[in-house]
Amino acid sequence: MSGRGRSSLGEILRRTAARRSTVVAARVVAIYLGAGALWILLSDRLLLAWVADPGLQSRLALGKGWFFVAVTGVLLFGLLRRELELRRVESEKLRLFVEHAPVALAMLDRELRYVTVSRRWCADYGLTAMELRGRRHYDVFPDLPERWRELNRRVIAGETLRAEADPFVRADGTTLSMRRYWPYGGER
């Protein structure tokens, strides 16, 4: 039931996201350091070459410092906005992939709240995506057996598990059977 000896999908996704975040952060820092070094080197030389009055040099140095802060603030805003937009687009692609998957598929967060579900999930369990989004799995299925709840706790704790179909009879007499695979890929 446990996949401890090999890398799980969740671990691979975590490592990939961490690498991407590191690359983005390094790029932002490199741009900031490069721009800062060039600004200081070039602007100080130009200021000293063009202005002889020490009082005026001091006021202009203060002005160029504030100018640098303003320009780098705008650049940082642009870089962060671009990165957040890329993440939003990736998130939307994932949501659409899950929604249109030909299997019953649900993504939940660490608190077992529905993030997104496939249309097949909704059809199989007589639900709609709108009524599920943000709701806790145990509120939607309050009579889940304790063995399933224990497996969920283990996954949230970081273990990767897989279980074949494990049917149980619900309180209303219907049988619920899910083949579960949990490669938890969220932040720890």
Side-chain angles (χ1 to χ4, degrees):
M1 208 174 207
S2 175
R4 287 187 181 259
R6 60 187 183 273
S7 290
S8 70
L9 177 60
E11 291 166 8
I12 292 168
L13 291 173
R14 270 194 303 277
R15 285 194 303 261
T16 302
R19 270 194 300 269
R20 186 171 194 282
S21 294
T22 300
V23 167
V24 168
R27 188 177 68 212
V28 168
V29 168
I31 290 170
Y32 180 79
L33 290 175
L38 282 173
W39 177 259
I40 291 169
L41 178 68
L42 298 176
S43 67
D44 282 348
R45 287 185 182 198
L46 287 174
L47 183 62
L48 291 174
W50 290 348
V51 178
D53 177 25
L56 183 57
Q57 282 179 348
S58 177
R59 288 190 302 278
L60 289 174
L62 181 63
K64 79 178 184 72
W66 281 111
F67 179 76
F68 177 78
V69 169
V71 168
T72 56
V74 168
L75 290 174
L76 184 59
F77 174 79
L79 288 170
L80 289 173
R81 190 170 130 224
R82 179 175 169 253
E83 181 60 25
L84 290 173
E85 178 61 18
L86 288 173
R87 289 181 185 217
R88 188 197 63 76
V89 167
E90 290 300 313
S91 178
E92 181 64 11
K93 285 180 188 176
L94 180 60
R95 187 193 64 76
L96 288 171
F97 175 79
V98 170
E99 181 181 331
H100 296 284
V103 296
L105 181 64
M107 288 180 61
L108 299 104
D109 65 15
R110 281 185 63 93
E111 289 148 11
L112 298 178
R113 293 186 193 285
Y114 285 91
V115 175
T116 189
V117 294
S118 67
R119 291 177 179 177
R120 176 71 183 266
W121 178 276
C122 293
D124 285 0
Y125 299 109
L127 304 162
T128 67
M130 288 307 292
E131 70 181 313
L132 287 174
R133 191 161 298 132
R135 288 189 61 200
R136 286 182 38 91
H137 186 57
Y138 297 144
D139 294 338
V140 176
F141 297 105
D143 53 351
L144 289 177
E146 183 55 37
R147 66 184 184 274
W148 287 18
R149 292 172 188 256
E150 176 56 29
L151 292 173
N152 289 336
R153 282 190 286 274
R154 288 169 55 193
V155 168
I156 290 171
E159 193 173 345
T160 298
L161 301 172
R162 176 186 171 139
E164 295 303 321
D166 182 11
F168 83 98
V169 179
R170 299 184 69 196
D172 65 4
T174 61
T175 300
L176 183 61
S177 179
M178 294 182 193
R179 179 176 179 208
R180 299 174 314 280
Y181 176 66
W182 302 273
Y184 178 67
E187 299 286 322
R188 286 192 182 182

